[in-house]
Amino acid sequence: MSTRQFRAPKGGSRVSRRVSAGVGALLAAVLLALVPLPPGTDRAQAAEAGSGTRAAAEDSAMTLTGRKGPYDDFSGLEVTVHQTKNLRAQGVDVTWKGRAVPPVDGFRNFLQIMQCWGDDPAGPDREQCEFGGNRGGTHWMSQRTLPKGTDPLEKEYADAGEDNPFVPFQPLQGDPTDSPSDATYFSNNDTNAQPWLSTRTDGTGEAVFEVKSAIEAPYLGCGDVGSGAGAKPRKCWLVVVPRGEHDPDGTVNAAEGVHTSPLSQSNWDQRLVFPMEFGAVGNTCPADKAERRVIGSELLTDAITSWQATLCAGADARFTFSQAGEDYARRLIAKPTATSPGMGVTVAPIEEGTGVVYAPVAVSALTVGFFWEDGQAGQVRDLKLSPRLLAKLVTGSYPYDIRQISFQNPVPDHLKGNAESIVVDPEFKKLNPYFDRPTQPQLGPGGILLQAGNSDVATLLWRYLQSNAESRDFLRGKPDPWGMKVNPFYRTLGLDADAPLDYPKADTTETRMTLPDNGVERAISYGQLEKSPYSNDMHDGALRVRRGATGATFLAALDANSPQGIKLVASDSLPGSRQAYGLVDAASASRYELDIAALPNADGAYVRPTADSMLRAVARMPDSPVAGVKAPSPATAKNGAYPLTAVAYAMAPVDQPADARQDYARLIRYAAGAGQTQGLTPGELPPGYAPMPKELRDRALSAADQLVRGKVAEPAGTPSAEGGAAGGAASGGSAGGGDGAGAGTGGAAGGAGTGAAGATAGDGASPSGTAAPPGAGAGAAGPAAQSGLAAGGLTPREVLGVVRWVLLGVLVVGGVAALAGPVLLRLSARKAVTAAGGSRVT
């Protein structure tokens, strides 16, 4: 059979150009589909949940310059307070720079910071400042006492007879203190004063200062609006006193540094005074309005606190929120009484029953927040924790978390062979090379702070540990590669499969302490609850971490007022050596400017809770057994997703009076609209939350409509983000996910605690423990832009996403059209050749 060359018909060059154009269009379409959206589109609106500096805060930053003192030149010192407006009880960044200083021992070249009240526009008097009680002994630099004869300029408090004079504290209301040890208003355990913030050798320094509102410190009154109509919140002051190497009389103590108090006149004259404006504290909503009660998850506390004043304006009802365990809120909504709140806030839905609408209102996360000073080396800012390290921490598997290790009190027998503390654990040092040093100054922080009571986020933490093979095996009793085993008191709790609503303190070991008292030996014991105490809630935990003091009491002290003549006291947390960490919500961690540990997601990538990473997790969450309610799913948190992300849902029964349904619907609509605009102004979404994507906002608005109508819509059967709705596992059962972890819903196990606002222990109600089937998930959704949130429209990312797919379709259609003509011409030519001679085209 002969073979003939096929010659292209006339005009073939145009055909080649068409083929090239078609192929080019299709390639462009493929590239457009594969190339990710510009990161700036989302990140411009993203708030880092644990960021130390936020753009909104920086808008009110203030910098002041020091003045030359009689012996030390502070004129080159610049101190910046990075937020001075829209303040609440929170952490505030303070940074400074000045002349380089040599490395020295003792208290020299540092800053002292205190919070003060005062109505004089020039600033406060020294009597109006919270300071003192930080240390005892001869270190007057942390006291209100003024050693006699040390300050030539001191006139007001120079004459005190034979005693050293002191500067009394004068509260906003009430009597002044009458001695340096008077703890009527504040004490060593709760003061926010910072007596010693060291300067680096290059002259720079940084710190986070805890400011208090009138709620935490009524004696300062910051933000108080009083009872007068239209009254403005009371302003306060942040005072910084720089210290050099000389005391006021010119004395230089090379070994110990300066001794005198910052309240001594010469030192006080060098102060830098920053005005601080607080948000309103007090009854900002008239009490005669109808009360609409809301109860539930701490994940919503910061957000709804910000929203309340705006929700009150121009409305006939006011909303009051009581923080409580989600299981308690579910019971009140599922089986309401005449006095039950009309709305609950939860992460997991009610497992049985109908007649309740669910509206997503906030996206946040559980985090490991930490404050970790490392002596002269500064502050540790970057930590990584594996799931197995977390499992060791929450099961009391480090001996140092159970007792103070000493010659008299060695490692307990049941923990022998385990690393004494996390900082000497080979797994921790491998993950955090900074700590892989020949010597450690100490064993590091004690036990990790865990909240008391029940919470859905506790279940989330256990599910996270179960989704990882290494941590799950450790909980079962398998040693890590270095031989460390789970605390045997926890092994019997079945935490490798059951996910309780709490964090048990299961170790019953007691450590006996004795002290001689006039020939009598006094004895007292402490256990895990004293060495590693609970926090009241996650906000309290974040505050304790910020102060670097967990509240652990394991030192013995004689006490004549105690029945045993002895009591347990806390150890001093001195500046420069404060170390604490805790499981806290992202909003509280951000509020107190805590650093946040990076955790691995289902891909093994270490991530922190940013708005972007939280929304990536939301995009991959399956539905819970209740359609439209997403279930937190660490096992499906991939592609940059933060694994401990959760969505808070408002749940409200539809069988309420019409006016109540209208009011609660208004709350939902605000939460889905203007309430998702990120910022620090009252009414906005505080840092630590991710603005909800359009899908969640639309669901919330639909739920609000259903609530107004008084009828729950039939489930639409919309498949979950993982390709289908994931069924819920029965209590104690298992569901697939992650690396093959079996995880079901578990009942509470172990210790009990009390939640806020009347929360009670669980009665068997437990959150859904669903897990998605394996398979690729939906793409990550970026955070919504503020303008889009307020209007309820598409976000910039969503707009770009739509545009991208529209362009993709246009290019595909164009490419196919460009290729169609040449292909038809070729086919017609083949047909003609075949008809003429039957030859094959080669």
Side-chain angles (χ1 to χ4, degrees):
M1 182 169 58
S2 63
T3 302
R4 298 181 182 179
Q5 289 282 350
F6 173 73
R7 181 172 292 178
K10 189 176 181 179
S13 60
R14 291 195 300 270
V15 173
S16 298
R17 287 195 296 270
R18 287 180 181 178
V19 172
S20 300
V23 172
L26 289 176
L27 287 174
V30 172
L31 288 173
L32 181 63
L34 294 178
V35 173
L37 293 175
T41 303
D42 290 329
R43 299 186 192 280
Q45 300 295 338
E48 299 290 339
S51 173
T53 304
R54 302 188 297 272
E58 291 292 337
D59 289 344
S60 62
M62 178 180 292
T63 300
L64 296 177
T65 302
R67 298 180 297 276
K68 183 177 180 179
Y71 305 104
D72 300 289
D73 188 356
F74 297 114
S75 59
L77 175 67
E78 290 185 2
V79 179
T80 300
V81 176
H82 291 266
Q83 182 184 351
T84 61
K85 295 181 180 181
N86 291 317
L87 294 165
R88 50 185 177 160
Q90 65 174 83
V92 174
D93 284 321
V94 181
T95 59
W96 62 94
K97 60 182 179 180
R99 63 181 178 86
V101 296
V104 294
D105 294 328
F107 299 103
R108 286 183 280 176
N109 300 311
F110 60 95
L111 297 189
Q112 300 184 282
I113 306 181
M114 61 199 78
Q115 185 177 349
C116 315
W117 71 276
D119 298 328
D120 189 333
D125 296 329
R126 47 185 171 166
E127 293 83 359
Q128 297 170 317
C129 296
E130 178 174 336
F131 191 87
N134 302 86
R135 282 191 64 175
T138 60
H139 292 277
W140 310 115
M141 45 81 69
S142 63
Q143 300 291 330
R144 304 187 74 89
T145 302
L146 312 179
K148 293 179 65 175
T150 57
D151 187 352
L153 298 184
E154 182 58 59
K155 305 300 182 185
E156 185 175 0
Y157 297 103
D159 186 12
E162 296 182 357
D163 297 327
N164 290 318
F166 82 102
V167 178
F169 172 72
Q170 174 62 60
L172 176 64
Q173 293 180 340
D175 297 327
T177 56
D178 57 13
S179 73
S181 60
D182 188 341
T184 301
Y185 305 105
F186 52 86
S187 68
N188 184 45
N189 295 325
D190 58 11
T191 182
N192 62 354
Q194 295 292 321
W196 181 63
L197 296 170
S198 62
T199 299
R200 305 186 188 101
T201 55
D202 64 357
T204 64
E206 61 179 331
V208 175
F209 184 84
E210 174 208 340
V211 295
K212 299 178 180 180
S213 73
I215 295 176
E216 297 75 26
Y219 49 85
L220 298 176
C222 306
D224 184 27
V225 295
S227 58
K232 293 184 178 180
R234 176 180 289 278
K235 294 183 179 180
C236 277
W237 308 89
L238 199 67
V239 173
V240 177
V241 180
R243 307 299 297 274
E245 299 183 14
H246 297 77
D247 274 319
D249 61 358
T251 301
V252 176
N253 188 321
E256 297 185 9
V258 299
H259 278 271
T260 53
S261 169
L263 304 183
S264 188
Q265 189 65 58
S266 293
N267 299 327
W268 182 251
D269 289 345
Q270 303 304 313
R271 68 193 182 278
L272 305 178
V273 180
F274 297 83
M276 307 291 278
E277 297 183 15
F278 282 74
V281 173
N283 295 323
T284 57
C285 195
D288 58 352
K289 292 188 176 184
E291 181 185 21
R292 301 303 181 199
R293 294 167 55 213
V294 184
I295 191 170
S297 177
E298 186 175 359
L299 289 181
L300 191 66
T301 298
D302 270 30
I304 198 169
T305 301
S306 174
W307 299 339
Q308 278 176 317
T310 305
L311 286 167
C312 174
D316 296 327
R318 59 189 175 94
F319 295 96
T320 57
F321 177 73
S322 299
Q323 182 180 295
E326 292 92 340
D327 61 326
Y328 181 62
R330 281 189 289 271
R331 291 202 304 274
L332 291 179
I333 298 301
K335 298 178 180 180
T337 66
T339 59
S340 293
M343 177 176 283
V345 181
T346 186
V347 174
I350 300 168
E351 293 187 349
E352 297 180 359
T354 57
V356 175
V357 298
Y358 294 91
V361 288
V363 175
S364 192
L366 181 66
T367 77
V368 179
F370 67 94
F371 172 45
W372 201 317
E373 292 179 321
D374 192 25
Q376 293 291 340
Q379 188 172 326
V380 177
R381 309 306 294 266
D382 185 22
L383 282 182
K384 293 180 179 178
L385 294 176
S386 68
R388 186 164 55 200
L389 285 171
L390 268 178
K392 295 173 182 179
L393 289 169
V394 297
T395 58
S397 296
Y398 292 111
Y400 186 68
D401 296 354
I402 302 298
R403 69 162 48 155
Q404 186 78 356
I405 306 301
S406 66
F407 178 79
Q408 294 83 4
N409 294 298
V411 172
D413 289 341
H414 66 288
L415 295 178
K416 283 185 176 178
N418 284 5
E420 288 190 7
S421 76
I422 191 171
V423 296
V424 296
D425 187 338
E427 181 177 7
F428 177 78
K429 292 194 289 185
K430 182 179 180 181
L431 201 55
N432 300 276
Y434 172 79
F435 292 92
D436 193 8
R437 294 174 285 177
T439 59
Q440 291 288 340
Q442 59 184 47
L443 288 176
I448 189 169
L449 265 174
L450 305 172
Q451 71 177 105
N454 295 343
S455 173
D456 284 354
V457 294
T459 296
L460 174 58
L461 188 278
W462 295 116
R463 290 286 175 238
Y464 173 60
L465 300 183
Q466 295 161 7
S467 72
N468 176 269
E470 291 181 344
S471 57
R472 185 174 66 252
D473 287 345
F474 181 83
L475 292 172
R476 285 176 180 164
K478 181 180 178 180
D480 75 1
W482 300 272
M484 183 168 175
K485 297 180 181 179
V486 69
N487 187 325
F489 285 98
Y490 285 82
R491 185 174 176 180
T492 59
L493 300 182
L495 295 173
D496 61 306
D498 292 338
L501 286 161
D502 65 345
Y503 305 108
K505 299 280 189 183
D507 195 319
T508 59
T509 304
E510 289 198 342
T511 301
R512 188 169 184 267
M513 305 286 287
T514 60
L515 284 176
D517 181 17
N518 294 323
V520 178
E521 186 176 76
R522 305 291 184 183
I524 193 169
S525 297
Y526 68 84
Q528 185 182 15
L529 278 172
E530 288 77 29
K531 186 64 168 63
S532 299
Y534 282 117
S535 63
N536 297 327
D537 53 33
M538 291 187 287
H539 176 274
D540 175 58
L543 178 56
R544 294 196 201 183
V545 172
R546 167 47 53 208
R547 292 174 177 173
T550 64
T553 54
F554 54 88
L555 299 180
L558 295 177
D559 181 18
N561 297 320
S562 172
Q564 297 88 5
I566 190 172
K567 66 178 180 179
L568 294 172
V569 297
S571 61
D572 286 337
S573 297
L574 303 180
S577 61
R578 294 168 294 186
Q579 298 177 355
Y581 47 11
L583 283 172
V584 300
D585 61 299
S588 294
S590 181
R591 179 173 187 157
Y592 288 104
E593 297 288 349
L594 302 181
D595 293 300
I596 294 178
L599 304 177
N601 60 16
D603 289 328
Y606 280 81
V607 293
R608 291 183 175 83
T610 65
D612 181 68
S613 67
M614 286 191 280
L615 290 179
R616 286 176 181 270
V618 171
R620 300 186 66 86
M621 287 180 183
D623 273 350
S624 71
V626 175
V629 178
K630 289 181 175 289
S633 180
T636 62
K638 301 179 180 179
N639 298 331
Y642 181 70
L644 297 182
T645 301
V647 180
Y649 284 85
M651 54 182 179
V654 296
D655 60 349
Q656 301 185 67
D659 58 343
R661 298 200 311 272
Q662 289 276 3
D663 289 333
Y664 286 122
R666 181 167 62 87
L667 169 58
I668 293 172
R669 289 180 177 128
Y670 184 86
Q676 293 299 307
T677 300
Q678 289 186 305
L680 301 176
T681 303
E684 296 178 330
L685 188 68
Y689 293 93
M692 292 195 301
K694 185 176 185 298
E695 176 195 1
L696 293 188
R697 288 182 280 123
D698 287 346
R699 285 187 180 183
L701 295 175
S702 174
D705 292 342
Q706 295 172 45
L707 185 59
V708 170
R709 291 195 301 268
K711 183 177 181 181
V712 179
E714 292 296 325
T718 304
S720 73
E722 287 295 309
S731 178
S734 64
D739 55 12
T745 316
T754 58
T760 62
D763 60 353
S766 61
S768 165
T770 62
Q786 294 179 3
S787 58
L789 290 166
L794 293 175
T795 69
R797 183 184 183 95
E798 292 161 347
V799 172
L800 286 178
V802 172
V803 171
R804 177 168 68 170
W805 291 110
V806 170
L807 289 176
L808 175 62
V810 171
L811 288 173
V812 169
V813 172
V816 171
L819 290 172
V823 170
L824 291 175
L825 286 173
R826 286 176 182 261
L827 290 176
S828 63
R830 288 182 182 180
K831 184 176 181 180
V833 170
T834 302
S839 300
R840 293 183 62 186
V841 178
T842 61

